[in-house]
Amino acid sequence: MGRKATLACCCLNQWALDFEGNLCRIVASVKEAKSRGATYRTGPELEIPGYSCQDHFHESDTLLHSWEVLAELLLHPVCRDIIIDVGMPVMHRNVIYNCRVVFLNSKILLIRPKMTLCDTGNYRETRWFTAWTKHRETEPHHLPRMIAAITEQRTVPIGDALLATRDTCVGYEICEELWSADSSHVAQTLDGAELIVNSSGSHFELRKAYVVFDLMRSATSKCGGCYLFSNMRGGDGDRLYFNGAPSIAVNGEFAAAGRQFALEEVEVISATIDLEEIRTYRNRIRSRQIQAAAAPSFPRIEVDFSLSRDGDLALPSWTPIQPHYHPPEEEIALSAACWLWDYLRRSGQGGFFLPLSGGVDSSSTACLVFSMCRLLVSAARHDTRTLEQVRRIAGDSEYTPTDPRELCGRLFTTCYMGSENSSAETRARAAQLASEIGSYHLSIAIDVAVSAVLGIFTTVTGLVPKFRARGGTPRENLALQNVQARLRMVLAYLFAQLTLWVRDRPGGLLVLGSANVDESLRGYMTKYDCSSADINPIGGISKTDLKSFLRYARRKFSLPSLDGILEAPPTAELEPLADGRLAQTDEQDMGMTYAELSVYGKLRKEHSCGPYSMFCKLIQMWADHCTPEQVAEKVRHFYRCYAVNRHKMTVLTPSLHAEAYGPDDNRHDHRPFLYHAAWTWQFRSIEVALKQLQAAQEGGRSKDRSQLTDRQRRELNDFSRTGTGSGHSRLNTLSKSGDGSGGGGIKVSHNIAPDQPDAAKRCISPSNPQQQLKASRQAFHLV
């Protein structure tokens, strides 16, 4: 009797509601699995309709077309003599479940519903599906007539069961069940399941890749057995990028692992597993054997089929490997590039248009497009599907890309949009970067358009607004900045629609935004300026990570112009220059550093802190360089700015989700957009805490930081180092690079509620926060 089984996991780049394309990719994966000798094939979660159908799961059409695709698979000759499970929604007794449908030789063996749904972060599964709650139970499911005509089955089992072949036993988890505290695989393996199959729709976040590998290693180390993890890859129609990495683990080690990022639509990994190794491994763990002997049983679906083959002793078995983890800078370069390509090839447009200012943000976006071109040149050498798509977008059926710079010139247009407030340095940096990556570059002046718009205002009102540097009020200064930024948006869309017409090519260009996640959180963007684009590849990435990415791109892509961009101070160049030099910087405008913004963002979202909780944490984190009074003012200033600018998130350009603290309110961060910006109760609580601290210090009861336990000190330092903080030393360091300079125009000025007290308005963007403390307290009735 055989003992070795070859198993295949598939990673597919599916597209929501693209039933025809999804079917083709599933068939291609089965064909590849069989060519490797696999007798079992598993694929991603909801692979038939696509994971991100969202409210389309409420439509009967989605259920109907999913069954129609399944019918095609049941009849397809490539799907013979191999057990296949595919993901699709199934309505059972008028309840919709997220299911795996397992079939063999045109017979459905089991419909296994998801038992733990995900509602965390970006996920809203309970909006569309219901969890199967009948543990270790199955029920008969009546098949649609078109399926019954193929399978000659009226009913099939649906529920929580194991699949028993002649030589082994298979259990099932679907995505979240691996992550949950009460994972299904524990009970299944205690009842003898030797293979656990997980079909997932797990999305990309920076520094997250290790999580699934750790969970698989842990599951197979303590339970023994083989764990097969399949996942979606790519952008299937929404903000998420599914990060692939299909993998197979055996007894605490990895037998196979696929890529996290790739342009190819189908990837299949496989491993040949010796079933006796699983049994021997488990038999050595005596505590597990005692628990297994007392474990309750699952229903078993008996299948007259073997995953192993007779005479397989010479078949080579698996050898341990180590999963590969990309550093964060490389994750940015690859994830955003792949996401951009998915959006471009599926949008039907002819390339991208970017207002390139010569600052960190727009330069990062440009480098990501260049990274995409590098991946395309590499993939086109061996992937005919990618080559066909490049030719279609480039409008040349004979074209074969060989040079990323040349391809970039076909797909990417950059434009420096300067004004009288722009400096020669930013213009030169933008032009140099465009030359190095090969983009089709334009340089225009927007002063005529600005003067025309202001002329209309002056004609109607008889008044001429002035910049602050020329004697104007803050309101005038703000309006003059915003009109420049908004005109850049209008011009960006004009050039995006007509640039290919000028170049005698069909189609139009997608406008790219370049506002980072920290600026979105702070609201440091003009509503409907160049932050209002079609998509934004860096909208979920922090300024700190973008600077690290540019240093990586400088080395990896050989772009020397990035040195000057990294050294330049962040500025929007929307105010007049002083003797030809910058008179405005982003961090001065914001009243906080980008390093501080990252800390605020993580505390607000990942640690669920309101103003008071944030103050309580920061007086410890920043104790070595800020007094409690200074921390209190920083927290108040952040929350005032956050509150008055939160409405901008309702029109935020769709961006690649990359950070857990992203403020996108459309999917990830569901919070109000109209706040009481005075935060009277919350700020009063901070004042009370300050007085208590002062009283404790005066009475000698204050606990000095040096008296913290070693564990407390480690926790605080770890918080700063590991991405949930910016580090004590870095918090005092002003960022030396930025974006939003005159060319890009993504600078956002502060929108102030009309009923806000004048003193409060002055506090929103104080030139000196300490001098504004008293006025701030008076404005918000705190003193």
Side-chain angles (χ1 to χ4, degrees):
M1 181 178 180
R3 52 189 277 178
K4 294 180 181 179
T6 301
L7 315 169
C9 288
C10 303
C11 182
L12 305 181
N13 191 326
Q14 302 294 72
W15 190 8
L17 301 176
D18 178 24
F19 292 97
E20 184 171 0
N22 293 348
L23 170 62
C24 291
R25 286 180 282 271
I26 293 171
V27 170
S29 70
V30 176
K31 185 177 181 180
E32 174 65 18
K34 290 188 70 175
S35 72
R36 294 166 176 253
T39 52
Y40 195 105
R41 176 268 182 203
T42 183
E45 184 176 12
L46 294 169
E47 60 191 297
I48 286 180
Y51 183 87
S52 298
C53 295
Q54 301 181 49
D55 279 3
H56 288 287
F57 286 123
H58 293 313
E59 300 170 2
S60 61
D61 284 12
T62 306
L63 298 171
L64 170 64
H65 299 324
S66 295
W67 282 114
E68 290 171 341
V69 170
L70 181 64
E72 294 287 338
L73 292 171
L74 290 168
L75 292 170
H76 203 290
V78 79
C79 297
R80 304 290 298 178
D81 300 321
I82 180 173
I83 296 181
I84 299 169
D85 71 74
V86 293
M88 59 179 279
V90 173
M91 178 179 283
H92 174 67
R93 298 181 181 177
N94 298 333
V95 179
I96 293 183
Y97 297 97
N98 175 351
C99 296
R100 302 304 298 176
V101 179
V102 189
F103 64 92
L104 169 67
N105 293 338
S106 300
K107 299 288 184 182
I108 295 178
L109 306 175
L110 171 68
I111 300 176
R112 204 289 193 168
K114 192 171 184 176
M115 302 182 68
T116 304
L117 300 181
C118 186
D119 284 329
T120 304
N122 292 285
Y123 297 98
R124 303 285 181 274
E125 288 184 351
T126 56
R127 181 180 175 94
W128 312 297
F129 303 110
T130 300
W132 182 269
T133 57
K134 300 174 182 177
H135 292 263
R136 299 182 179 85
E137 292 184 29
T138 64
E139 296 175 350
H141 175 76
H142 290 265
L143 292 174
R145 282 175 290 183
M146 62 177 167
I147 302 298
I150 297 170
T151 65
E152 299 180 347
Q153 299 167 289
R154 289 183 56 194
T155 64
V156 295
I158 182 174
D160 185 20
L162 305 179
L163 193 71
T165 65
R166 293 202 302 254
D167 53 353
T168 189
C169 185
V170 184
Y172 295 90
E173 289 189 323
I174 303 177
C175 199
E176 183 69 9
E177 295 175 48
L178 172 61
W179 276 262
S180 66
D182 187 16
S183 293
S184 307
H185 68 261
V186 176
Q188 293 174 7
T189 55
L190 288 176
D191 192 33
E194 296 175 336
L195 313 178
I196 301 295
V197 177
N198 186 304
S199 305
S200 188
S202 179
H203 71 285
F204 161 75
E205 277 181 5
L206 285 170
R207 306 173 179 88
K208 175 196 168 189
Y210 74 93
V211 174
V212 67
F213 291 116
D214 283 358
L215 289 171
M216 291 176 63
R217 182 180 285 110
S218 173
T220 57
S221 292
K222 67 181 180 181
C223 298
C226 176
Y227 201 101
L228 293 87
F229 178 82
S230 293
N231 195 19
M232 289 280 196
R233 177 192 286 136
D236 72 341
D238 199 41
R239 291 160 172 80
L240 300 183
Y241 179 87
F242 297 101
N243 65 330
S247 45
I248 301 174
V250 183
N251 298 340
E253 297 184 289
F254 284 91
R259 291 169 294 175
Q260 189 178 1
F261 310 105
L263 300 185
E264 292 80 3
E265 294 184 336
V266 177
E267 181 182 11
V268 178
I269 65 166
S270 62
T272 299
I273 308 302
D274 190 333
L275 299 174
E276 286 300 319
E277 288 184 4
I278 295 173
R279 296 156 191 163
T280 302
Y281 181 90
R282 288 178 173 177
N283 193 44
R284 292 198 304 265
I285 307 174
R286 302 314 303 163
S287 61
R288 183 232 171 247
Q289 300 298 79
I290 294 171
Q291 292 172 337
S297 296
F298 284 77
R300 271 175 160 74
I301 309 300
E302 302 289 340
V303 185
D304 188 17
F305 184 80
S306 293
L307 298 185
S308 59
R309 296 286 187 262
D310 291 335
D312 60 2
L313 292 178
L315 191 64
S317 190
W318 66 284
T319 54
I321 65 167
Q322 288 298 323
H324 174 69
Y325 301 107
H326 297 282
E329 299 83 2
E330 197 168 57
E331 285 188 312
I332 293 171
L334 296 174
S335 64
C338 293
W339 186 75
L340 283 169
W341 174 240
D342 281 345
Y343 200 96
L344 176 60
R345 67 192 178 94
R346 288 170 172 169
S347 68
Q349 298 302 299
F352 294 118
F353 180 93
L354 172 69
L356 180 61
S357 70
V360 165
D361 292 337
S362 64
S363 298
S364 296
T365 302
C367 289
L368 290 172
V369 176
F370 185 60
S371 176
M372 180 195 78
C373 293
R374 289 169 54 90
L375 292 178
L376 286 171
V377 169
S378 176
R381 296 190 184 111
H382 61 270
D383 184 18
T384 56
R385 177 64 175 162
T386 298
L387 179 59
E388 291 172 2
Q389 293 168 336
V390 170
R391 288 173 171 174
R392 174 179 57 81
I393 294 171
D396 185 348
S397 60
E398 302 298 324
Y399 174 62
T400 299
T402 57
D403 177 28
R405 294 184 71 258
E406 190 273 337
L407 178 60
C408 195
R410 291 175 179 254
L411 303 184
F412 191 31
T413 298
T414 53
C415 182
Y416 182 85
M417 299 182 178
S419 71
E420 62 179 357
N421 303 320
S422 304
S423 65
E425 290 80 5
T426 55
R427 183 187 301 271
R429 288 198 296 267
Q432 184 182 355
L433 177 60
S435 175
E436 290 173 357
I437 65 175
S439 66
Y440 181 77
H441 187 64
L442 305 170
S443 182
I444 64 175
I446 67 170
D447 296 307
V448 174
V450 173
S451 297
V453 172
L454 293 178
I456 296 173
F457 177 83
T458 300
T459 300
V460 173
T461 65
L463 298 175
V464 180
K466 300 177 182 178
F467 283 106
R468 177 172 46 197
R470 296 170 182 170
T473 65
R475 283 185 294 180
E476 295 172 72
N477 193 71
L478 182 63
L480 290 174
Q481 292 185 63
N482 286 344
V483 72
Q484 297 172 73
R486 289 181 174 128
L487 281 172
R488 284 176 174 140
M489 181 198 71
V490 175
L491 291 169
Y493 275 96
L494 174 64
F495 277 85
Q497 288 177 312
L498 295 180
T499 295
L500 292 185
W501 171 67
V502 172
R503 302 178 69 184
D504 197 27
R505 281 179 49 193
L509 301 174
L510 292 166
V511 178
L512 296 180
S514 55
N516 63 64
V517 70
D518 297 324
E519 290 174 344
S520 299
L521 173 68
R522 166 63 170 74
Y524 190 62
M525 63 182 66
T526 299
K527 205 172 186 179
Y528 304 117
D529 75 335
C530 279
S531 62
S532 300
D534 293 314
I535 54 174
N536 179 6
I538 68 166
I541 305 173
S542 72
K543 192 83 161 188
T544 302
D545 282 335
L546 287 175
K547 292 167 65 178
S548 297
F549 162 68
L550 285 185
R551 286 189 284 269
Y552 164 86
R554 167 67 177 90
R555 301 187 306 270
K556 183 73 172 180
F557 305 158
S558 299
L559 303 174
S561 62
L562 295 180
D563 291 335
I565 291 169
L566 284 164
E567 293 171 0
T571 175
E573 290 192 330
L574 293 173
E575 294 187 35
L577 301 175
D579 297 327
R581 296 186 177 183
L582 296 176
Q584 173 193 42
T585 63
D586 290 349
E587 292 183 321
Q588 182 181 12
D589 272 3
M590 292 191 300
M592 60 190 74
T593 68
Y594 283 106
E596 289 172 335
L597 257 176
S598 291
V599 176
Y600 297 145
K602 291 178 173 67
L603 289 176
R604 183 195 70 97
K605 185 70 170 76
E606 296 180 34
H607 294 263
S608 301
C609 286
Y612 179 74
S613 297
M614 185 179 291
F615 166 76
C616 292
K617 287 184 179 291
L618 288 179
I619 58 174
Q620 299 294 330
M621 287 179 59
W622 293 350
D624 61 347
H625 64 275
C626 283
T627 66
E629 291 78 10
Q630 290 172 326
V631 171
E633 179 53 26
K634 286 176 179 289
V635 170
R636 285 191 291 254
H637 178 53
F638 165 72
Y639 270 100
R640 291 186 202 107
C641 298
Y642 164 78
V644 299
N645 288 296
R646 177 65 185 176
H647 63 94
K648 297 175 183 177
M649 297 301 97
T650 63
V651 296
L652 190 69
T653 296
S655 60
L656 168 66
H657 175 83
E659 282 283 9
Y661 72 89
D664 179 5
D665 78 328
N666 295 287
R667 293 291 185 275
H668 182 63
D669 187 29
H670 291 200
R671 283 171 166 79
F673 63 85
L674 180 62
Y675 282 91
H676 190 311
W679 301 91
T680 51
W681 192 282
Q682 293 92 333
F683 288 178
R684 190 182 304 119
S685 297
I686 293 176
E687 289 293 318
V688 170
L690 276 175
K691 292 178 181 178
Q692 292 173 343
L693 286 171
Q694 292 167 354
Q697 289 171 349
E698 292 171 359
R701 296 189 298 272
S702 176
K703 183 177 182 181
D704 187 81
R705 182 178 176 84
S706 62
Q707 295 175 329
L708 293 175
T709 65
D710 289 342
R711 178 180 177 182
Q712 289 173 318
R713 188 175 292 104
R714 284 196 303 271
E715 288 175 349
L716 291 175
N717 290 336
D718 288 344
F719 188 94
S720 297
R721 285 197 305 268
T722 60
T724 47
S726 295
H728 299 153
S729 61
R730 287 185 291 167
L731 287 168
N732 274 333
T733 304
L734 294 180
S735 171
K736 292 185 179 180
S737 62
D739 201 66
S741 57
I746 64 164
K747 158 76 163 70
V748 181
S749 307
H750 316 290
N751 287 0
I752 303 174
D755 60 341
Q756 200 171 349
D758 287 341
K761 295 178 183 179
R762 292 195 299 272
C763 291
I764 288 177
S765 183
S767 59
N768 188 334
Q770 296 303 318
Q771 293 177 357
Q772 295 291 347
L773 177 57
K774 183 176 180 181
S776 169
R777 290 174 174 171
Q778 290 172 344
F780 295 107
H781 312 291
L782 296 177
V783 294

